[in-house]
Amino acid sequence: MNYGKQRENYYYSSFARLGKFALDCADRLLEHLRVFDHEALESTKDEIHKIEHAGDQEKHAVMERLVKEFMTPIDREDILELLRRIDDVTDAIEEVPMRMYMYDYKELPADTIPFLEATRECIAKMVLCLEHFPEFKKPEKLKPYIDEVIRLEEATDEIYERDMHDMYVSTTDGFARHRGEAMYSMLEETADRCREVCKHIETIMYKNV
């Protein structure tokens, strides 16, 4: 009986641990971009890639254990899918400094920091939702955390629409538009992936009520 409880705790706690890699990436990116330095783009990219790589290693360790388990606390496919979706968030935020380096950003698009702060908040609330995953058999407790992530994701959609509109109204330089569109799209996509994590948690929740 104790082993079963440890097994449950291992998988459930692994979801939150993996989510924190995405949050760590967002925190480090925000720290660097608040004092943006074009010359530091490569080192910023490399630093955040190391965090993403550590998350990948953690995910693979969970998957290796999953392969060896005869019984799992929830459906094996749901564990795998949730691991994949959490990893998608980390990959999405890691893509920001990678693209910035590739496209050689010499300055930040106008609303980058507020948009990144909103995206970072969405990731943080996703992690909170993952921390409360063990309550998935109690929808009244878990659902408010899911709803908060969805609300924040919808807020980033509004930011995206506003920023894209403002940029196309005020910016005539084609390269600046390209970089702005890429930045806003990447941040919006990251928030979308947070929503997908929580929608899958919701699916698991209703499957197991």
Side-chain angles (χ1 to χ4, degrees):
M1 291 295 292
N2 288 336
Y3 174 73
K5 186 171 181 61
Q6 289 173 357
R7 184 177 62 212
E8 282 192 5
N9 288 340
Y10 172 78
Y11 289 117
Y12 298 167
S13 63
S14 72
F15 300 146
R17 287 199 309 274
L18 289 169
K20 286 175 182 175
F21 285 103
L23 184 58
D24 196 11
C25 285
D27 284 338
R28 298 299 294 150
L29 181 60
L30 192 54
E31 179 182 331
H32 282 287
L33 296 193
R34 279 179 172 149
V35 288
F36 178 67
D37 178 4
H38 166 262
E39 299 300 324
L41 277 178
E42 185 172 10
S43 61
T44 298
K45 169 185 69 72
D46 292 344
E47 180 180 350
I48 291 172
H49 175 68
K50 287 179 182 178
I51 299 170
E52 184 276 336
H53 182 65
D56 268 348
Q57 290 181 313
E58 176 78 14
K59 181 191 72 172
H60 291 315
V62 178
M63 291 174 68
E64 286 176 7
R65 178 164 176 167
L66 183 61
V67 167
K68 298 174 184 176
E69 294 282 8
F70 178 68
M71 295 181 64
T72 54
I74 57 176
D75 287 348
R76 192 180 306 271
E77 293 80 5
D78 284 328
I79 295 174
L80 286 170
E81 183 64 12
L82 192 49
L83 291 173
R84 182 187 68 78
R85 293 191 185 202
I86 296 168
D87 186 55
D88 283 347
V89 179
T90 309
D91 288 346
I93 196 67
E94 184 215 7
E95 188 174 356
V96 177
M98 181 182 69
R99 290 291 183 94
M100 289 182 71
Y101 174 72
M102 289 169 56
Y103 297 163
D104 196 31
Y105 280 62
K106 291 184 170 59
E107 60 183 13
L108 297 179
D111 208 29
T112 297
I113 297 302
F115 202 157
L116 178 55
E117 288 173 340
T119 302
R120 185 264 175 207
E121 182 65 11
C122 197
I123 297 171
K125 295 301 184 183
M126 178 199 74
V127 172
L128 187 60
C129 187
L130 291 167
E131 288 174 343
H132 285 268
F133 180 84
E135 298 177 300
F136 69 91
K137 292 186 178 180
K138 301 175 182 177
E140 71 281 1
K141 291 190 175 182
L142 186 55
K143 190 69 162 59
Y145 297 104
I146 295 171
D147 291 344
E148 178 64 6
V149 174
I150 293 172
R151 183 190 69 80
L152 289 169
E153 186 275 330
E154 290 172 350
T156 64
D157 284 344
E158 293 175 4
I159 296 171
Y160 175 76
E161 291 174 8
R162 183 197 66 214
D163 286 352
M164 290 290 283
H165 172 78
D166 291 349
M167 180 185 66
Y168 273 93
V169 167
S170 62
T171 304
T172 57
D173 180 83
F175 288 111
R177 280 184 172 181
H178 173 69
R179 294 187 181 102
E181 183 170 357
M183 175 64 75
Y184 301 148
S185 295
M186 288 186 292
L187 295 176
E188 193 264 344
E189 174 67 17
T190 302
D192 283 351
R193 293 187 181 189
C194 292
R195 182 179 188 274
E196 291 305 310
V197 167
C198 290
K199 293 299 288 184
H200 192 63
I201 292 173
E202 188 173 46
T203 297
I204 294 171
M205 180 178 72
Y206 286 121
K207 281 176 64 177
N208 291 277
V209 170

